[in-house]
Amino acid sequence: MDDTIPPSAPRPGKIRAALERAERALFTRPAPKSARAQMKFLHTRAKGSTKVLAERLGVSRSTVHRYLTGASTKPHKRLQEALTQETEELWQPQVRAQARQRAATSGGLVITCRATFGFTANGTSDDGRVRDIITAVSPSHAARILEAKERGATDDELQPLLAEAITESYFREGGTVRAGLRADFRDVEHLQIDF
């Protein structure tokens, strides 16, 4: 009875994790919590295929069957993490899609962060310093950030998009002031993103 899964994929970085937390906050109903309820939900999403579900979770088909029947109830840590992650990724897709659409067309995102910001403007530079920033990001920037996340972009790929969005909305005040300014966004201590 193999109840283990191979080492999990690297945890999402701070940016992807913040975007995922923002999406989870939108849920109108709580996602299933018990291993059996999560397995049943995922089994339904896999169109009743224990083979597909077992491959997705990295376990054997018999492990999936044991949780579906209630013979097993306490998964190992890695399986529990996989169940939780897969369930949250598939939970309430229409609610998520509507929120992403709203953010990309009219609402934008609100970014709250504590990070190091360094500046470059017209050939000069300023040493970076830690700043606490709360700013509303335009729908066009939100659309680019959310589209990149949906494509599976890494934090390294998302970081320049967030830096550009924060520079535009906070430091350039919508493009009206300091037109040549570029802010480098690094060493993120805290990041919260809200729809």
Side-chain angles (χ1 to χ4, degrees):
M1 293 195 287
D2 179 26
D3 202 11
T4 62
I5 62 173
S8 57
R11 292 185 180 271
K14 288 183 179 183
I15 297 171
R16 286 191 64 83
L19 287 165
E20 289 167 8
R21 278 192 310 274
E23 286 184 351
R24 282 194 303 271
L26 300 170
F27 293 162
T28 57
R29 294 178 295 135
K33 298 289 183 213
S34 73
R36 184 174 185 198
Q38 289 172 333
M39 195 68 79
K40 283 183 173 186
F41 169 73
L42 294 172
H43 189 249
T44 301
R45 291 294 178 159
K47 298 182 180 172
S49 172
T50 55
K51 181 180 179 185
V52 169
L53 181 54
E55 288 173 4
R56 187 165 183 155
L57 295 173
V59 296
S60 67
R61 291 173 77 176
S62 61
T63 298
V64 170
H65 183 70
R66 282 195 317 275
Y67 282 96
L68 288 172
T69 61
S72 292
T73 57
K74 296 193 184 244
H76 290 294
K77 183 179 178 182
R78 281 191 245 152
L79 177 56
Q80 183 60 57
E81 287 174 358
L83 283 168
T84 300
Q85 179 180 344
E86 293 294 325
T87 299
E88 288 181 352
E89 280 181 20
L90 297 174
W91 189 249
Q92 294 191 323
Q94 292 175 342
V95 170
R96 290 174 182 218
Q98 290 169 352
R100 285 192 297 265
Q101 180 67 23
R102 220 176 13 258
T105 57
S106 61
L109 298 171
V110 175
I111 298 175
T112 305
C113 65
R114 179 176 177 80
T116 302
F117 289 89
F119 304 97
T120 305
N122 300 329
T124 64
S125 68
D126 234 345
D127 289 337
R129 65 184 172 105
V130 176
R131 290 178 183 253
D132 291 309
I133 291 178
I134 299 174
T135 187
V137 173
S138 71
S140 61
H141 284 292
R144 292 177 55 209
I145 292 166
L146 294 170
E147 189 272 327
K149 181 204 176 265
E150 289 304 305
R151 273 195 340 258
T154 65
D155 265 27
D156 290 338
E157 295 164 333
L158 289 167
Q159 189 274 339
L161 296 175
L162 253 65
E164 181 183 330
I166 292 169
T167 299
E168 182 70 26
S169 65
Y170 187 83
F171 294 106
R172 285 193 213 143
E173 299 173 16
T176 59
V177 181
R178 305 178 206 139
L181 180 72
R182 182 179 64 84
D184 293 322
F185 168 63
R186 61 184 185 279
D187 303 328
V188 178
E189 294 177 22
H190 167 75
L191 177 64
Q192 178 179 331
I193 300 173
D194 296 302
F195 282 88

